[in-house]
Amino acid sequence: MKKLTETIKISLILFLITAVAALLLAFVNMKTAPLIEINNQKKVTDALNAVMPEAADFEDIEIKDDTVQSLYTAKDAQGNTIGVCGVAVTKGYDAGLTTAVGVDTEGKVTAIEIISHNETPGLGANAAKPEFKEQFKGKSAGIEISKTGAKDNEIDAMSGATLTSRGVTNGVNAVLDMAAEILKEGK
């Protein structure tokens, strides 16, 4: 009987500790979630400005797509459409490879920006370096990766990070495809 009471007492203490910890975590989450969302939106806004710096405004386009998370019409100061920007989330070596892509009215990439990733430092993380990102500039839909020297509508894969190279390219191609539809519709 004494052993049973001791077990119940320990169980209740552990339950109380767990309940207090859960309540504290919920409180911290409630307080930090809006700040995290603001910071994430700022990252996206900064990335959109980086891939389409001449845009004065970005109008959200409602989409439903697994890869392209958001799409925007880029407008100049007079309200003219100067392109389409999109944010794609793909998988490189790891999931969560988030890339912003700018596309001009002729369907060519103006620039890309890596917003976030979980790629291997020194390998896939090199996707955020200018040498890799600049390869996409001026490319059009259907970009391929090459391990032996890029030609025409290809980019050079990063050595040791082919999965990351493919993930970024898949995201860029997804935005290019959706941008082509939007530009064709004249939105």
Side-chain angles (χ1 to χ4, degrees):
M1 185 69 176
K2 187 176 181 183
K3 226 177 192 181
L4 180 61
T5 353
E6 193 65 30
T7 303
I8 292 173
K9 181 180 174 184
I10 291 172
S11 297
L12 284 173
I13 291 170
L14 287 173
F15 173 76
L16 286 173
I17 291 170
T18 305
V20 168
L23 286 172
L24 286 172
L25 284 172
F27 176 75
V28 168
N29 183 56
M30 182 180 71
K31 291 295 183 183
T32 59
L35 296 173
I36 291 169
E37 181 58 33
I38 289 168
N39 285 337
N40 287 339
Q41 189 57 46
K42 183 178 179 339
K43 282 182 184 178
V44 169
T45 302
D46 290 348
L48 293 175
N49 286 320
V51 299
M52 192 74 68
E54 56 279 350
D57 189 32
F58 297 97
E59 291 181 5
D60 195 10
I61 301 171
E62 190 136 339
I63 58 165
K64 290 182 182 173
D65 189 76
D66 291 335
T67 302
V68 180
Q69 300 294 303
S70 53
L71 204 62
Y72 306 88
T73 304
K75 304 275 186 175
D76 64 13
Q78 290 74 40
N80 301 313
T81 299
I82 58 171
V84 174
C85 296
V87 176
V89 180
T90 56
K91 183 180 186 321
Y93 180 74
D94 201 354
L97 180 57
T98 307
T99 309
V101 182
V103 181
D104 66 19
T105 55
E106 294 179 12
K108 297 196 182 295
V109 175
T110 58
I112 72 163
E113 191 66 35
I114 305 299
I115 297 172
S116 65
H117 66 83
N118 298 317
E119 302 302 295
T120 307
L123 293 173
N126 291 335
K129 290 188 174 181
E131 305 84 54
F132 179 73
K133 297 186 303 184
E134 288 171 6
Q135 295 184 83
F136 289 91
K137 190 172 186 172
K139 304 283 189 218
S140 54
I143 301 169
E144 298 285 331
I145 61 169
S146 172
K147 295 181 183 180
T148 59
K151 300 176 192 80
D152 300 328
N153 210 38
E154 296 178 335
I155 57 113
D156 284 318
M158 292 179 289
S159 179
T162 305
L163 293 175
T164 304
S165 301
R166 187 169 287 117
V168 172
T169 303
N170 288 343
V172 172
N173 280 328
V175 171
L176 280 164
D177 291 344
M178 291 193 88
E181 290 179 37
I182 299 299
L183 292 168
K184 188 168 62 172
E185 293 171 9
K187 286 188 179 179

